[in-house]
Amino acid sequence: MIHSDQSMNPDGGDVPARGTIQPALDQNLMAHILDSDNMKRAWKRVKSNQGAPGIDGMALEEFPAFAREHWASIRQSLLEGCYQPAPVRRVMIPKRDGSGERMLGVPCVLDRVIQQAMLQVLTPIFDPEFSESSYGSRPHRSAHGAIFQVKAFIKAGYRGAVDLDLEKFFDQVNHDVLMSRVARKVTDKVLLRLIGRYLRAGVMVNGIIQATEWGTPQGSPLSPLLANVLLDDLDKELERRGHRFVRYMDDVVILVKSSRAGRRVMANITRYLFRDLKLKVNVKKSRVVKTDRLEYLGFTFRGIRIYGSDRAFADFKHRLRGLTSRSWGVSMAYRLQRLNLYLRGWMNYFGISQYYRPIPELESWLRRRIRMCYWKQWRNPRTRIGNLLKLGCGRRHAISTGLSRKGYWHLSKTMATQVGMTNEWLKEQGLLSICDLWKKAQGYT
């Protein structure tokens, strides 16, 4: 693992306790970043987050051996300010709403560890002064907090919303504007140069390295904090003007009491963002709407009730369809493991929705999909008939269904398959109940 000499402050005192930075030591932040304990925690976090290799092809499993051999020279180059980060590997992933692709940057493992170490030291410096209305990528804050804050504003009578969409935010960040904000609190020139080098490290696309004169790559550990540093100016401006608002990274919604006020706020904030932060508002996607028509972070609002959006439910069903595809050649045990992992994750996020009506129907549909998968796996008529008989199905129904040439989906809802593969039996195989997960998320169980 990573080792380093004991870091000391300029006065010879001990390094501050974990998670704290003393203002008097701000000029020597690189020493705190490269402290052995901080680097070990950074590696542990990067390892737990997993992730694909960068442009050097190094996998996570290879990094400890690499660090043992090379870390001393890398650490020295970081302290001297001559370390040069590697370009990130460009990866394109489709957006959830199908509106295009999102560009992600995958740094190499070494740069992920260094950036994570930087993040651990810089977060206690910047985060305490961030706005109370900022919820994205911050300790002890979450998207749920943002949703409940929107609900509170709606309850207070703010039934209009300015839904701001910042055009390609992570790709359009102006480096000079960002670095001037970072320099307000960071005076360590070596660290400032290192952050600048990460911003300008470049990106590899189809084997060709391209310069990055704008933006901060999504996928890098430090990018969310840098985004919050830049957009904190927007937060402070909105607070100065007395607006009620919620921001989760670049997703901003401002609550107002009338459409007229909303249009005025939209125009003023659009001008501010372009003039002061060099950011553009996507006029096609930004809008002023009543809160009943607002979709924010996957949720909608009906009065003061929180609902999962139609799009969220459609995405949920689409993913379940993939996980229960009968052409996916995996064992049922593995299928159920992956399915349950997704169900837990989805319900941990969308379980705050107060809209229960579609849940039982989804659960019934999912059980039918699982029965279809078992039916496909059993394959030949002899196996199907034998399994149905073992599960308590009547002989006549077991034989007629087992010999049927009708499709898998049709046969998954026959009396034989439902009497044999009961809900209780599916639960014994390990299938989680969507209804039970929702009730647990609501605090009913």
Side-chain angles (χ1 to χ4, degrees):
M1 213 7 257
I2 297 173
H3 299 282
S4 73
D5 298 332
Q6 178 65 32
S7 298
M8 306 290 286
N9 69 37
D11 298 323
D14 293 332
V15 174
R18 180 179 297 180
T20 64
I21 296 296
Q22 298 176 8
L25 303 180
D26 282 358
Q27 292 184 353
N28 194 22
L29 289 178
M30 284 302 299
H32 299 286
I33 290 169
L34 298 173
D35 171 66
S36 178
D37 180 65
N38 189 55
M39 294 303 302
K40 288 176 182 176
R41 289 193 295 121
W43 162 242
K44 185 176 180 180
R45 182 61 180 266
V46 169
K47 185 179 179 181
S48 68
N49 288 341
Q50 296 299 304
I55 65 169
D56 60 357
M58 183 187 295
L60 285 167
E61 297 77 16
E62 302 172 75
F63 180 72
F66 171 84
R68 281 191 292 270
E69 183 177 353
H70 299 286
W71 177 244
S73 60
I74 293 170
R75 182 178 186 275
Q76 188 62 32
S77 68
L78 285 162
L79 286 171
E80 293 174 354
C82 57
Y83 176 79
Q84 182 59 53
V88 299
R89 181 169 61 86
R90 172 67 51 80
V91 176
M92 307 296 291
I93 61 170
K95 293 183 177 180
R96 290 178 57 186
D97 58 6
S99 62
E101 293 182 313
R102 188 184 306 278
M103 293 188 295
L104 294 184
V106 181
C108 63
V109 179
L110 174 61
D111 286 324
R112 292 210 295 272
V113 173
I114 295 171
Q115 285 196 43
Q116 179 63 37
M118 294 163 65
L119 177 68
Q120 291 166 182
V121 168
L122 291 174
T123 295
I125 294 174
F126 286 99
D127 191 80
E129 295 187 23
F130 284 157
S131 169
E132 287 297 312
S133 296
S134 167
Y135 289 89
S137 297
R138 295 184 59 192
H140 313 299
R141 286 174 169 261
S142 67
H144 286 174
I147 294 300
F148 289 129
Q149 185 62 69
V150 172
K151 176 180 176 178
F153 287 142
I154 294 173
K155 191 174 182 179
Y158 293 84
R159 299 301 177 97
V162 179
D163 187 6
L164 281 177
D165 183 274
L166 300 182
E167 186 173 317
K168 297 181 179 178
F169 169 72
F170 283 93
D171 303 323
Q172 297 298 325
V173 169
N174 183 292
H175 291 170
D176 292 336
V177 174
L178 171 58
M179 290 305 298
S180 69
R181 269 74 184 165
V182 175
R184 291 172 182 172
K185 291 183 177 294
V186 175
T187 58
D188 186 330
K189 296 188 184 310
V190 174
L191 177 55
L192 288 172
R193 283 198 299 270
L194 180 60
I195 295 173
R197 285 177 176 172
Y198 271 116
L199 292 173
R200 299 186 301 272
V203 59
M204 180 171 284
V205 182
N206 297 324
I208 301 173
I209 296 177
Q210 300 177 359
T212 47
E213 299 176 358
W214 301 81
T216 174
Q218 285 181 273
S220 298
L222 199 57
S223 289
L225 176 64
L226 295 178
N228 276 331
V229 169
L230 179 61
L231 292 176
D232 187 56
D233 272 26
L234 170 62
D235 298 341
K236 296 300 192 290
E237 180 65 17
L238 291 171
E239 290 173 348
R240 187 185 68 78
R241 299 185 185 197
H243 292 310
R244 276 72 175 172
F245 72 98
V246 174
R247 182 176 67 80
Y248 189 91
M249 299 307 295
D250 58 326
D251 290 319
V252 186
V253 61
I254 306 167
L255 283 301
V256 294
K257 289 193 172 181
S258 69
S259 297
R260 182 179 179 183
R263 289 190 293 271
R264 183 176 65 250
V265 170
M266 173 79 81
N268 291 338
I269 297 304
T270 298
R271 283 194 296 270
Y272 167 79
L273 284 166
F274 185 74
R275 182 187 68 237
D276 289 56
L277 301 183
K278 311 304 180 188
L279 296 173
K280 294 180 181 179
V281 170
N282 189 328
V283 294
K284 293 183 179 179
K285 293 185 178 181
S286 299
R287 56 186 188 148
V288 179
V289 295
K290 293 186 180 298
T291 53
D292 283 355
R293 295 180 56 201
L294 172 68
E295 181 178 333
Y296 189 58
L297 302 179
F299 293 93
T300 57
F301 305 87
R302 298 293 182 267
I304 60 172
R305 292 174 65 83
I306 300 169
Y307 285 15
S309 69
D310 291 341
R311 187 186 309 175
F313 276 104
D315 288 346
F316 182 46
K317 193 169 184 178
H318 176 75
R319 184 65 187 278
L320 292 181
R321 192 183 299 276
L323 290 169
T324 56
S325 170
R326 64 175 185 264
S327 62
W328 188 21
V330 297
S331 68
M332 286 304 298
Y334 180 74
R335 185 192 299 273
L336 291 174
Q337 178 188 356
R338 288 286 305 276
L339 180 62
N340 288 340
L341 185 65
Y342 177 69
L343 288 175
R344 285 194 183 96
W346 194 91
M347 201 57 70
N348 282 342
Y349 185 77
F350 286 102
I352 63 171
S353 170
Q354 296 169 282
Y355 187 40
Y356 180 70
R357 182 177 298 175
I359 300 297
E361 182 181 345
L362 265 174
E363 176 152 42
S364 177
W365 174 82
L366 177 61
R367 284 170 172 159
R368 184 177 176 184
R369 297 279 301 179
I370 293 297
R371 291 186 181 103
M372 176 188 70
C373 292
Y374 273 110
W375 197 249
K376 169 72 182 293
Q377 190 180 64
W378 291 346
R379 292 185 178 277
N380 64 67
R382 183 186 297 273
T383 303
R384 290 172 176 173
I385 294 170
N387 285 335
L388 288 177
L389 291 173
K390 289 177 184 178
L391 292 173
C393 179
R395 185 175 183 81
R396 183 170 63 86
H397 285 299
I399 293 174
S400 62
T401 304
L403 295 175
S404 175
R405 293 174 177 257
K406 292 182 178 178
Y408 299 109
W409 182 243
H410 175 85
L411 294 173
S412 65
K413 201 177 181 181
T414 60
M415 180 180 293
T417 53
Q418 292 197 358
V419 168
M421 292 179 276
T422 63
N423 295 348
E424 291 73 20
W425 183 80
L426 292 176
K427 184 176 181 179
E428 290 173 2
Q429 306 314 300
L431 179 64
L432 293 177
S433 164
I434 302 177
C435 293
D436 289 348
L437 288 172
W438 185 87
K439 291 173 183 176
K440 183 177 181 180
Q442 294 285 316
Y444 295 154
T445 57

